[in-house]
Amino acid sequence: MTDLLPGPVAVAQERRLVTEVPGPRSRELAARRAAAVTSAVGSVLPVYVERAAGSVVVDVDGNSFIDLGSGIAVTSVGHAAPEVVAAVSAQAAAFTHTCFMVGPYEGYVAVAEELDRLTPGNHEKRSALFTSGAEAVENAVKVARVATGRSAVVVFDHAYHGRTNLTMALTAKNMPYKNGFGPFAGEVYRVPMSYPFRDEPGMTGEQAAARALALVESQIGADNVAAVLIEPIQGEGGFVVPAPGFLPALADWCRRSGAVFVADEVQTGFCRTGAWFASEHEGVVPDLVATAKGIAGGMPLAGLTGRAELMDAVHTGGLGGTYGGNPVACAAAIASIRTMREMDLAGAARGIEATMLPRLRALQERSGVVGDVRGRGAMLAVELVRPGTNEPDAALTNAISKACHAEGVITLTAGTFGNVLRFLPPLVIGQDLLTEALDVLDAAFDAHAPAR
Ligand SMILES: Cc1ncc(COP(=O)(O)O)c(C=O)c1O
């Protein structure tokens, strides 16, 4: 029997294709879109969504897809999670907006309290809320500059921090994020990441940190660094997990140098990696933590949380925005966080890892095109290469991803070289559904990269 998840329309937790993909109604919408929506905005799926619940997305032709993407790591508590829907409805009926900078309300304060409690470290913290991940990261740079009186920001190869002008400067990859959009913000310096699959074999995290920090000291000067900004596991860059010791060495250097250590946990946060925050896996306590995505079950909300003395160094009125900490989004966040706690979704993420990793490793053994299997919790990836080399194979990655879509499984790609298949299932996904999605993935590999 398939689970029926409640919602305005019950959604069976099953994969079911009833038309070709895309079906006729999706094709009609694609034609309307082409005439109305700029081609500058792309979409991964060829189908248009009608509803979604739990781990299943239903398109306008009635096809049901198992979601291994969660709208890019957002719907961690599941699509249309009942607690989130109830909280959003109640808040929308009470009031939808006053602007916290005009008429403050409890929901904002309650989310800040949760962020102060949940982010790593027991020190005194303060938070501010925003609407997108990019905004949270931009505000981290603003806070770090005011608090230190310095301007340089250190970022890493393969980093992704957003699409605003400053966050484009912080982001590494040119296409599609930066090409033609400059000039970019200044005082941003990029150094090598620890990328075990592509670094010299055996390079430790400490050695990779020394490589990066030697450049910082010689080219910027430690005294000029306001912030070192890093994703504890890189997201768009291809789920790059740095070698153990890399993050602690960077954090130590910041402490010694008076720079602010900023963790961009926009993609890794809120139970995704099997802990509330990915920094915890190595006991790293960032000075500032940027959050978004999974925080609010699909509503747009972002946070910046950090040491009280840093966050309060900014003059009153220096941080904010019309929609930052919107009350409906705050209600969704409180319900999402409660759900994560009550359902132990960090534990669920570890369970997903326990199911998926052996399957992905078996694929690696069998296929010859999987160079690396990596990630933590429910943030896992395979990096595809030409057999016997570590040359990226983006075409194969795309072909396999599209084959999964055609069979009713939503997968995403990533990576500087476009050759990473990444998996971000809702943390509430059932074992049967996850296993079925992995069977579809296996078949897609068998069709496009026959076993060696
Ligand atoms: C690590 C990281 N930082 C920042 C962002 C930007 O977030 P948003 O798209 O909400 O602006 C993203 C989005 O993918 C991200 O993965």
Side-chain angles (χ1 to χ4, degrees):
M1 215 186 76
T2 52
D3 295 336
L4 273 180
L5 286 195
V9 184
V11 173
Q13 295 298 289
E14 63 178 3
R15 178 176 69 102
R16 198 157 88 94
L17 298 180
V18 295
T19 71
E20 71 276 22
V21 174
R25 293 195 58 208
S26 277
R27 288 202 301 272
E28 252 173 63
L29 281 169
R32 274 175 57 195
R33 170 192 180 141
V37 179
T38 169
S39 58
V41 178
S43 295
V44 170
L45 293 178
V47 299
Y48 284 72
V49 177
E50 188 166 276
R51 56 188 189 272
S55 306
V56 169
V57 174
V58 183
D59 77 8
V60 289
D61 292 290
N63 298 302
S64 295
F65 296 76
I66 303 173
D67 191 1
L68 297 187
S70 300
I72 321 188
V74 170
T75 51
S76 298
V77 293
H79 290 279
E83 306 76 2
V84 174
V85 173
V88 164
S89 309
Q91 180 57 48
F95 64 98
T96 54
H97 176 83
T98 57
C99 185
F100 191 73
M101 300 184 304
V102 176
Y105 38 88
E106 183 180 355
Y108 189 117
V109 177
V111 173
E113 286 169 346
E114 287 284 22
L115 284 168
D116 294 352
R117 219 175 356 247
L118 291 170
T119 49
N122 295 323
H123 49 279
E124 182 88 7
K125 295 177 209 155
R126 298 287 184 272
S127 289
L129 302 182
F130 305 98
T131 310
S132 69
E135 242 188 309
V137 174
E138 287 231 4
N139 280 282
V141 173
K142 286 160 72 170
V143 169
R145 283 180 172 159
V146 166
T148 60
R150 305 169 176 183
S151 56
V153 180
V154 175
V155 290
F156 293 83
D157 285 338
H158 313 288
Y160 182 86
H161 297 292
R163 294 172 180 267
T164 58
N165 186 265
L166 174 55
T167 56
M168 277 192 292
L170 302 171
T171 289
K173 190 173 174 176
N174 178 49
M175 273 304 256
Y177 307 123
K178 302 170 74 164
N179 195 47
F181 297 144
F184 301 112
E187 285 303 299
V188 173
Y189 299 87
R190 193 170 309 286
V191 294
M193 177 66 181
S194 165
Y195 191 158
F197 178 61
R198 295 193 173 274
D199 281 339
E200 289 154 39
M203 179 179 260
T204 65
E206 289 79 3
Q207 288 166 340
R211 174 179 65 180
L213 293 169
L215 290 175
V216 172
E217 291 188 353
S218 65
Q219 297 186 11
I220 312 168
D223 291 348
N224 296 316
V225 176
V228 173
L229 165 64
I230 191 163
E231 300 152 85
I233 298 176
Q234 290 183 322
E236 307 305 299
F239 287 16
V240 178
V241 185
F246 184 69
L247 296 172
L250 297 179
D252 277 354
W253 183 88
C254 285
R255 202 164 304 120
R256 281 185 275 114
S257 311
V260 177
F261 184 70
V262 185
D264 178 346
E265 294 251 16
V266 166
Q267 192 155 159
T268 49
F270 289 99
C271 300
R272 175 55 55 189
T273 67
W276 279 100
F277 295 95
S279 303
E280 292 169 44
H281 296 295
E282 287 201 76
V284 169
V285 177
D287 300 308
L288 296 176
V289 181
T291 52
K293 290 190 183 280
I295 188 175
M299 296 299 288
L301 188 72
L304 179 66
T305 303
R307 295 186 185 281
E309 65 273 22
L310 299 178
M311 294 294 291
D312 287 346
V314 178
H315 45 280
T316 298
L319 304 183
T322 304
Y323 291 112
N326 169 271
V328 182
C330 285
I334 293 160
S336 298
I337 293 167
R338 191 184 312 125
T339 303
M340 288 177 195
R341 198 179 273 125
E342 285 174 4
M343 293 180 69
D344 182 21
L345 291 189
R350 297 192 293 274
I352 290 169
E353 175 180 334
T355 300
M356 288 191 73
L357 262 192
R359 294 284 303 261
L360 298 177
R361 291 208 172 110
L363 202 52
Q364 181 175 31
E365 284 291 300
R366 192 170 96 236
S367 81
V369 297
V370 176
D372 196 23
V373 176
R374 58 178 179 252
R376 275 190 205 277
M379 183 173 183
L380 299 172
V382 290
E383 177 160 354
L384 272 56
V385 292
R386 300 211 165 72
T389 74
N390 71 355
E391 280 171 46
D393 195 338
L396 178 64
T397 309
N398 259 322
I400 291 177
S401 194
K402 286 202 160 66
C404 290
H405 305 161
E407 289 301 322
V409 174
I410 301 173
T411 49
L412 303 175
T413 60
T416 298
F417 315 109
N419 67 326
V420 175
L421 264 178
R422 58 170 158 169
F423 307 104
L424 294 158
L427 305 181
V428 295
I429 193 168
Q431 185 73 16
D432 290 355
L433 221 49
L434 185 58
T435 302
E436 186 176 339
L438 290 167
D439 293 343
V440 169
L441 180 71
D442 275 350
F445 267 88
D446 290 344
H448 290 271
R452 52 186 164 186

